[in-house]
Protein backbone atom coordinates (compact mmCIF):
# COMPACT_ATOMS: atom_id res chain seq x y z
CA UNK A 1 0.00 0.00 0.00
CA UNK A 2 1.59 3.31 -1.04
CA UNK A 3 2.03 6.16 1.42
CA UNK A 4 0.25 9.44 0.79
CA UNK A 5 3.13 11.47 2.22
CA UNK A 6 6.85 11.52 1.59
CA UNK A 7 9.29 10.68 4.38
CA UNK A 8 10.69 13.63 6.30
CA UNK A 9 14.18 12.09 6.16
CA UNK A 10 15.22 9.36 3.77
CA UNK A 11 17.34 6.32 4.56
CA UNK A 12 20.97 7.36 4.49
CA UNK A 13 20.35 10.80 6.00
CA UNK A 14 22.77 9.78 8.76
CA UNK A 15 24.64 6.69 7.62
CA UNK A 16 25.68 8.07 4.24
CA UNK A 17 28.07 10.47 5.95
CA UNK A 18 30.52 10.22 8.83
CA UNK A 19 29.17 11.18 12.21
CA UNK A 20 30.12 14.85 12.60
CA UNK A 21 31.94 16.58 15.40
CA UNK A 22 29.78 19.48 16.59
CA UNK A 23 30.97 22.64 18.35
CA UNK A 24 29.03 23.79 21.39
CA UNK A 25 29.18 27.03 23.32
CA UNK A 26 31.46 27.47 26.29
CA UNK A 27 34.42 25.44 25.06
CA UNK A 28 32.57 22.15 24.48
CA UNK A 29 32.65 19.76 21.57
CA UNK A 30 30.31 16.89 20.71
CA UNK A 31 32.39 14.16 19.09
CA UNK A 32 31.90 10.54 18.11
CA UNK A 33 32.80 8.07 20.83
CA UNK A 34 36.31 6.59 20.95
CA UNK A 35 37.21 3.14 22.25
CA UNK A 36 39.52 4.91 24.74
CA UNK A 37 36.46 6.51 26.41
CA UNK A 38 35.46 3.18 27.98
CA UNK A 39 37.22 3.70 31.35
CA UNK A 40 35.57 7.11 31.79
CA UNK A 41 32.12 5.74 30.86
CA UNK A 42 32.61 2.87 33.32
CA UNK A 43 33.55 5.37 36.05
CA UNK A 44 30.46 7.53 35.39
CA UNK A 45 28.18 4.53 35.73
CA UNK A 46 29.56 3.79 39.21
CA UNK A 47 28.05 7.08 40.42
CA UNK A 48 24.98 6.63 42.69
CA UNK A 49 23.14 9.48 40.94
CA UNK A 50 23.40 7.60 37.64
CA UNK A 51 21.89 4.58 39.38
CA UNK A 52 18.97 6.71 40.53
CA UNK A 53 17.96 7.83 37.02
CA UNK A 54 19.25 5.01 34.78
CA UNK A 55 18.27 1.38 34.67
CA UNK A 56 21.77 0.21 33.73
CA UNK A 57 25.13 0.01 35.39
CA UNK A 58 28.48 -1.05 33.97
CA UNK A 59 30.15 -4.02 35.60
CA UNK A 60 33.46 -3.56 33.79
CA UNK A 61 35.43 -1.34 31.44
CA UNK A 62 34.93 -4.03 28.81
CA UNK A 63 31.16 -3.73 29.16
CA UNK A 64 31.38 0.06 28.74
CA UNK A 65 33.51 -0.57 25.66
CA UNK A 66 30.71 -2.74 24.29
CA UNK A 67 28.26 0.12 24.79
CA UNK A 68 30.57 2.43 22.84
CA UNK A 69 30.77 -0.08 19.97
CA UNK A 70 26.96 -0.35 20.00
CA UNK A 71 26.61 3.46 20.01
CA UNK A 72 28.85 3.70 16.95
CA UNK A 73 26.93 0.92 15.16
CA UNK A 74 23.63 2.66 15.95
CA UNK A 75 24.75 5.60 13.77
CA UNK A 76 25.45 3.24 10.88
CA UNK A 77 22.02 1.63 11.38
CA UNK A 78 20.33 5.04 11.76
CA UNK A 79 18.62 3.87 14.95
CA UNK A 80 20.36 6.22 17.37
CA UNK A 81 23.08 8.88 17.36
CA UNK A 82 25.36 9.21 20.40
CA UNK A 83 28.04 11.83 21.04
CA UNK A 84 30.65 12.21 23.74
CA UNK A 85 30.58 15.71 25.23
CA UNK A 86 34.14 16.82 25.88
CA UNK A 87 36.15 19.90 26.66
CA UNK A 88 37.28 21.32 23.32
CA UNK A 89 40.79 22.01 24.61
CA UNK A 90 41.24 19.41 27.35
CA UNK A 91 39.47 16.53 25.61
CA UNK A 92 38.14 15.48 29.03
CA UNK A 93 34.86 13.57 28.90
CA UNK A 94 32.09 15.67 30.45
CA UNK A 95 28.99 13.78 29.36
CA UNK A 96 26.89 12.29 26.60
CA UNK A 97 24.10 13.55 24.36
CA UNK A 98 22.10 11.37 22.04
CA UNK A 99 19.18 11.05 19.73
CA UNK A 100 17.38 7.83 20.53
CA UNK A 101 14.32 6.20 18.97
CA UNK A 102 15.09 7.77 15.58
CA UNK A 103 12.25 7.51 13.06
CA UNK A 104 13.52 8.90 9.79
CA UNK A 105 10.17 8.66 7.98
CA UNK A 106 8.53 10.85 10.63
CA UNK A 107 11.59 13.03 11.25
CA UNK A 108 11.42 12.37 14.99
CA UNK A 109 13.80 11.32 17.74
CA UNK A 110 14.20 11.46 21.51
CA UNK A 111 16.98 13.63 22.96
CA UNK A 112 18.88 12.22 25.93
CA UNK A 113 21.87 13.31 28.02
CA UNK A 114 23.96 12.70 31.10
CA UNK A 115 26.98 14.40 32.61
CA UNK A 116 29.91 13.24 34.68
CA UNK A 117 29.71 14.26 38.36
CA UNK A 118 32.36 17.00 38.02
CA UNK A 119 30.41 18.65 35.16
CA UNK A 120 27.05 18.86 36.88
CA UNK A 121 25.61 22.29 37.62
CA UNK A 122 27.91 23.97 35.07
CA UNK A 123 25.49 24.13 32.11
CA UNK A 124 27.21 21.33 30.21
CA UNK A 125 23.98 19.42 29.48
CA UNK A 126 22.24 22.62 28.39
CA UNK A 127 25.00 23.66 25.98
CA UNK A 128 25.40 20.15 24.57
CA UNK A 129 21.65 19.63 24.11
CA UNK A 130 21.38 23.04 22.43
CA UNK A 131 24.14 22.13 19.96
CA UNK A 132 22.58 18.73 19.27
CA UNK A 133 19.14 20.26 18.72
CA UNK A 134 20.53 22.89 16.35
CA UNK A 135 22.27 20.16 14.31
CA UNK A 136 19.18 17.92 14.26
CA UNK A 137 16.85 20.67 13.04
CA UNK A 138 19.00 23.00 10.97
CA UNK A 139 21.58 20.69 9.43
CA UNK A 140 19.79 17.35 9.25
CA UNK A 141 16.10 18.17 8.87
CA UNK A 142 14.41 16.50 11.82
CA UNK A 143 10.90 17.81 12.46
CA UNK A 144 10.27 16.98 16.15
CA UNK A 145 12.46 16.07 19.09
CA UNK A 146 11.07 14.70 22.33
CA UNK A 147 12.76 14.57 25.71
CA UNK A 148 11.68 12.34 28.59
CA UNK A 149 12.84 12.48 32.21
CA UNK A 150 11.56 11.20 35.53
CA UNK A 151 9.23 13.76 37.13
CA UNK A 152 11.36 13.68 40.28
CA UNK A 153 14.54 14.47 38.31
CA UNK A 154 14.33 18.24 38.74
CA UNK A 155 17.80 18.88 37.31
CA UNK A 156 16.84 17.17 34.06
CA UNK A 157 13.61 19.17 33.93
CA UNK A 158 15.65 22.39 34.20
CA UNK A 159 17.84 21.26 31.28
CA UNK A 160 14.77 20.50 29.16
CA UNK A 161 13.19 23.87 29.92
CA UNK A 162 16.39 25.87 29.39
CA UNK A 163 16.91 24.24 25.98
CA UNK A 164 13.43 25.16 24.75
CA UNK A 165 11.74 21.78 25.14
CA UNK A 166 8.20 22.64 26.21
CA UNK A 167 6.47 20.45 28.76
CA UNK A 168 3.64 18.62 26.99
CA UNK A 169 2.46 16.36 29.76
CA UNK A 170 3.12 13.48 32.13
CA UNK A 171 3.35 9.84 31.11
CA UNK A 172 2.11 8.02 34.19
CA UNK A 173 4.06 5.02 35.48
CA UNK A 174 6.01 4.94 32.21
CA UNK A 175 9.54 3.81 33.11
CA UNK A 176 10.78 1.16 35.52
CA UNK A 177 13.80 2.30 37.55
CA UNK A 178 15.61 0.36 40.29
CA UNK A 179 13.28 1.90 42.91
CA UNK A 180 10.04 1.20 41.00
CA UNK A 181 7.83 2.79 38.36
CA UNK A 182 8.35 6.46 37.58
CA UNK A 183 6.06 9.04 36.04
CA UNK A 184 7.86 10.79 33.19
CA UNK A 185 7.62 14.35 31.94
CA UNK A 186 7.32 14.58 28.16
CA UNK A 187 8.93 17.69 26.69
CA UNK A 188 9.25 18.45 22.97
CA UNK A 189 10.55 20.91 20.39
CA UNK A 190 9.34 21.25 16.84
CA UNK A 191 11.51 22.58 14.04
CA UNK A 192 10.99 26.30 13.55
CA UNK A 193 10.05 27.06 17.16
Amino acid sequence: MPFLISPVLIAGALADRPQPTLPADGGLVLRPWWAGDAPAVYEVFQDPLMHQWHARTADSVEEAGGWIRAWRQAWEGEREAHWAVAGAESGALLGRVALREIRLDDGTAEAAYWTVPAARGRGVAVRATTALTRWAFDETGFHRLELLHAVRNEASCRVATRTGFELEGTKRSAIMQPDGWHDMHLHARVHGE
Side-chain angles (χ1 to χ4, degrees):
M1 176 180 338
F3 286 98
L4 296 174
I5 58 172
S6 299
V8 175
L9 296 167
I10 60 170
L14 302 180
D16 284 354
R17 58 184 170 161
Q19 184 176 1
T21 297
L22 308 173
D25 290 342
L28 300 180
V29 65
L30 283 54
R31 61 163 171 79
W33 286 92
W34 301 332
D37 292 323
V41 172
Y42 169 76
E43 189 63 34
V44 171
F45 275 84
Q46 304 315 299
D47 176 43
L49 190 61
M50 293 295 280
H51 298 172
Q52 183 176 2
W53 305 122
H54 292 81
R56 296 178 78 177
T57 186
D59 289 332
S60 67
V61 171
E62 292 75 23
E63 182 178 11
W67 295 355
I68 290 170
R69 287 188 297 279
W71 294 340
R72 293 182 65 88
Q73 291 167 352
W75 174 270
E76 296 162 8
E78 299 184 309
R79 297 179 309 277
E80 297 182 340
H82 299 261
W83 280 266
V85 179
E89 290 186 22
S90 70
L93 181 67
L94 301 172
R96 166 191 161 259
V97 290
L99 294 178
R100 303 175 341 147
E101 307 293 331
I102 292 174
R103 295 185 56 160
L104 293 176
D105 285 353
D106 296 330
T108 63
E110 177 190 330
Y113 45 80
W114 51 254
T115 55
V116 303
R120 293 184 190 139
R122 296 177 28 209
V124 169
V126 169
R127 288 178 277 144
T129 302
T130 299
L132 176 63
T133 301
R134 185 173 35 244
W135 174 84
F137 286 147
D138 299 341
E139 295 183 37
T140 307
F142 279 89
H143 172 69
R144 176 183 167 90
L145 299 180
E146 296 184 348
L147 193 157
L148 288 166
H149 65 81
V151 169
R152 293 189 346 234
N153 188 342
E154 294 175 6
S156 193
C157 196
R158 285 190 299 274
V159 170
T161 302
R162 289 180 61 196
T163 55
F165 282 78
E166 289 189 34
L167 179 62
E168 292 190 339
T170 301
K171 295 176 72 170
R172 296 175 298 125
S173 196
I175 299 288
M176 173 63 95
Q177 298 286 21
D179 62 347
W181 288 100
H182 282 247
D183 292 348
M184 302 294 284
H185 273 166
L186 170 63
H187 297 256
R189 281 190 64 176
V190 175
H191 185 264
E193 290 183 333

